[in-house]
Amino acid sequence: MPKVTVDGTEIEVPAGATVLQACELAGKEIPRFCYHERLSIAGNCRMCLVEVKPGPPKPQASCALPAADGQEIRTDSAMVQKAREGVMEFLLINHPLDCPICDQGGECDLQDQSVSYGRGASRYHEHKRAVTEKYMGPLIKTAMTRCIHCTRCVRFSEEVAGVDEIGALYRGENMQITTYLEQAAKHELSANVIDLCPVGALTSRPYAFEARPWELKKTLSIDVSDAVGANIRLDSRGREVLRALPRVNDDVNEEWLSDKARYQVDGLTARRLDRPWIRKGDKLVAASWEEAFAAVAKVKPGASVAAVAGDLVDCETMFAAKALLAAMGSTLLEGRQTGLAYDTSNLASVAFNSTVSGIEDADAILIVGSHVRWEAALVNARIRKAVKKGAKAFVVGPEWETTYPAEFLGNDLAIMDDLPKAAVDAFQGAAHPAIILGGAALGQGALGAGLAFAAEFGLVRDGWNGFNVLHMAASRMGGLMLGYAQSGGIADLVEAKPKLVFALGADEVDFTRFAGSTIIYIGHHGDKGAHAADIILPAAAYSEKAGTYVNTEGRVQFADKAVFAPGDAREDWTILRALADSLGVSVGFDSFAQLRAAMIAAVPSLGQEGLANYGALAKAKKTKATGTIDAYPVKDYYLTNPIARASVVMQRCSAELLHGEDFAEAAE
């Protein structure tokens, strides 16, 4: 490890580190605009200048200079200070004085660094250049006159998202950053360029002029739009969540966030259920809580009761419902709304065992029945990193536009038993082979064949488990840990013909199959489940309650309450606790703390943040794969859950980016 001296202090730095990284290890702050630790080095903003000896007697860009043994680095000399002031003066030459009306204000790197490292005045008096605005779609608002050409957005699109949609035109002072043919950016991670932009050139279109950062309350939460469990921060004002931003978690989402997770939040205030409703005849009539509970008590179901958990619910809600059903003498619990019925006796066999970050280390990957870009955009970005390192990717299922080189093997699952020679060679020679089974594969009963594939190619070995199931619902793994799975899936509930069915935010169920049952919908949006319900009890969305979530890899994570539920809506567990009184049973808890303690006592893994231990993979029986995968479960990436379907932003994204509708832009 080379030793360098930074401002008189000698430190050791890892081999391959840059001078900028060495300075940061020494506790020195180095200003930068183009450098980002997760992107390639561009070295074009020149803000990170330092003085290095031995070397030429001039400031050097620390981000692009390797640290070498014996270097003497100065970050605070008069030469460095003057050079940084000069660079900042050049960067501000054409920058408009937009700070009072710029949405980046208060979170702007250019503001912060011009105060810390800039001159007090400019010597430039010529006319400023102006750049015409670009259209980058319904999510990204542009003001390209502010752009300083750091190219972070270009590098992110090419390197992380894998979609070459943003680039630079022309040269010198005529250079402009734009999308290809000035079309909308159409990939699932496009809005991350807003976080990356160090100035106000790329800002959030839906959030424009909504609030300043110092007005907002910040709450740590977990994304529920898919099963990845991205760590997010909800920024709220009053009783409204105004935006969701990613938090850094290298094990899950690094510092990226899918567009749906970021922009579905406007749906939290639209189409909300804020009072109880009771069906009388063909119409739903508004009611009080007392009337609603009395209507439930009239059913007198005895033990003939079932519960279906929706895709967005937290573990506490599912445990409270389980306790209620247990007190009534029922175990009819199911969370797989669309009818999946795979074996859940061994949870390791239905988890993403490589882990989200670990899949980067795979060197041969077989994706079966999963449109990964739509089902888990952040996992797709990890697979792209693996392919960039040399991994071979193969896909069984209908073709979709991958962001990395991949070979499609057809729709017939039988190919798993008779892989082409190139795939066999890749898996036999791989140190870290992996398989990913998606929802379409599980729907075709391919779980056993996947386990047999894992045994055949040795996907489980010392320090590596390459068997992965990619779920799409934020509640799925938590539900399986809590027993929300019948051997025959939801068909078992239908066959039991329960008098009473609790739909816990369940909006994807075909409720016509429960024609003889009284359906009680406990949820937050007037979506599909509410339309089928006999009694509606308004509950809290994920932003309006504390909760525990388990992602597809079995990682237990906790979310906090950001805002209060609207109107008469209540947190789910309080509704279920009150229902217990109405039905004349005891559930054993009277507070959220007691509920969570009881849940942890029943399933200890849910009390400890991090990966749950599911034990060893089930031993595979020799199973042949049969059937074909003709389509994937997700038909519209932007409208997969009731919050997204209520979101105006997501509706526009679906209409414009997927279905090609045109939207006229008002003159500004």
Side-chain angles (χ1 to χ4, degrees), residues 156-210:
F156 172 83
S157 298
E158 291 179 358
E159 298 164 14
V160 178
V163 181
D164 295 343
E165 287 189 337
I166 302 179
L169 298 178
Y170 317 123
R171 302 178 66 187
E173 73 166 354
N174 296 318
M175 182 177 171
Q176 298 181 24
I177 302 293
T178 183
T179 51
Y180 180 65
L181 298 180
E182 296 196 20
Q183 299 297 309
K186 293 184 179 179
H187 59 88
E188 302 75 28
L189 300 173
S190 65
N192 287 287
V193 299
I194 295 167
D195 296 335
L196 287 171
C197 184
V199 296
L202 304 177
T203 55
S204 172
R205 185 179 289 270
Y207 177 71
F209 310 121
E210 287 288 335

Side-chain angles (χ1 to χ4, degrees), residues 543-605:
S543 58
E544 297 155 3
K545 58 187 173 182
T548 303
Y549 297 91
V550 186
N551 75 352
T552 189
E553 60 185 350
R555 185 178 301 277
V556 179
Q557 302 184 108
F558 305 112
D560 294 330
K561 179 177 180 177
V563 294
F564 288 97
D568 288 336
R570 297 292 182 265
E571 293 183 31
D572 307 57
W573 76 268
T574 64
I575 298 172
L576 292 160
R577 173 64 187 83
L579 280 169
D581 288 343
S582 297
L583 294 165
V585 296
S586 173
V587 289
F589 56 84
D590 295 309
S591 68
F592 184 77
Q594 290 176 354
L595 165 61
R596 182 170 270 180
M599 181 184 74
I600 294 170
V603 186
S605 298

Side-chain angles (χ1 to χ4, degrees), residues 31-277:
R32 82 290 298 270
F33 292 114
C34 68
Y35 174 79
H36 192 280
E37 53 270 16
R38 300 188 197 276
L39 303 176
S40 62
I41 293 170
N44 55 6
C45 79
R46 318 311 285 180
M47 195 63 207
C48 63
L49 295 173
V50 295
E51 188 178 350
V52 181
K53 296 178 182 177
K58 64 176 184 178
Q60 300 188 64
S62 60
C63 68
L65 185 65
D69 197 50
Q71 281 178 333
E72 292 183 24
I73 304 164
R74 289 290 305 276
T75 68
D76 57 0
S77 66
M79 178 196 293
V80 169
Q81 182 179 350
K82 185 177 180 181
R84 288 176 180 169
E85 287 178 352
V87 169
M88 180 60 71
E89 188 177 0
F90 275 117
L91 289 175
L92 293 174
I93 276 176
N94 290 307
H95 198 81
L97 296 175
D98 283 349
C99 295
I101 53 101
C102 177
D103 273 319
Q104 198 87 331
E107 299 172 317
C108 179
D109 293 346
L110 189 65
Q111 274 185 343
D112 297 340
Q113 293 185 37
S114 62
V115 168
S116 300
Y117 303 102
R119 298 179 76 244
S122 173
R123 293 167 287 181
Y124 185 83
H125 300 292
E126 285 74 19
H127 293 296
K128 293 179 180 289
R129 101 177 173 142
V131 180
T132 56
E133 299 310 340
K134 316 298 179 188
Y135 182 69
M136 292 194 180
L139 303 180
I140 305 169
K141 183 173 184 285
T142 65
M144 301 312 291
T145 300
R146 303 171 189 161
C147 179
I148 62 169
H149 303 153
C150 69
T151 68
R152 280 185 180 181
C153 55
V154 178
R155 285 175 284 146
F156 172 83
S157 298
E158 291 179 358
E159 298 164 14
V160 178
V163 181
D164 295 343
E165 287 189 337
I166 302 179
L169 298 178
Y170 317 123
R171 302 178 66 187
E173 73 166 354
N174 296 318
M175 182 177 171
Q176 298 181 24
I177 302 293
T178 183
T179 51
Y180 180 65
L181 298 180
E182 296 196 20
Q183 299 297 309
K186 293 184 179 179
H187 59 88
E188 302 75 28
L189 300 173
S190 65
N192 287 287
V193 299
I194 295 167
D195 296 335
L196 287 171
C197 184
V199 296
L202 304 177
T203 55
S204 172
R205 185 179 289 270
Y207 177 71
F209 310 121
E210 287 288 335
R212 289 298 196 184
W214 53 84
E215 299 177 66
L216 304 175
K217 184 182 81 170
K218 300 166 178 61
T219 307
L220 306 185
S221 190
I222 301 297
D223 168 43
V224 297
S225 66
D226 56 29
V228 178
N231 288 210
I232 60 175
R233 189 188 85 199
L234 296 177
D235 287 0
S236 58
R237 183 176 60 194
R239 300 185 72 157
E240 184 178 0
V241 174
L242 294 179
R243 64 176 180 177
L245 296 175
R247 288 188 285 134
V248 177
N249 187 328
D250 288 331
D251 293 326
V252 183
N253 58 306
E254 298 179 284
E255 60 185 82
W256 317 127
L257 191 59
S258 71
D259 290 350
K260 181 166 54 181
R262 187 187 296 263
Y263 284 116
Q264 69 174 6
V265 293
D266 70 307
L268 289 168
T269 55
R271 299 184 191 172
R272 286 302 298 268
L273 297 171
D274 59 0
R275 67 179 68 179
W277 298 79

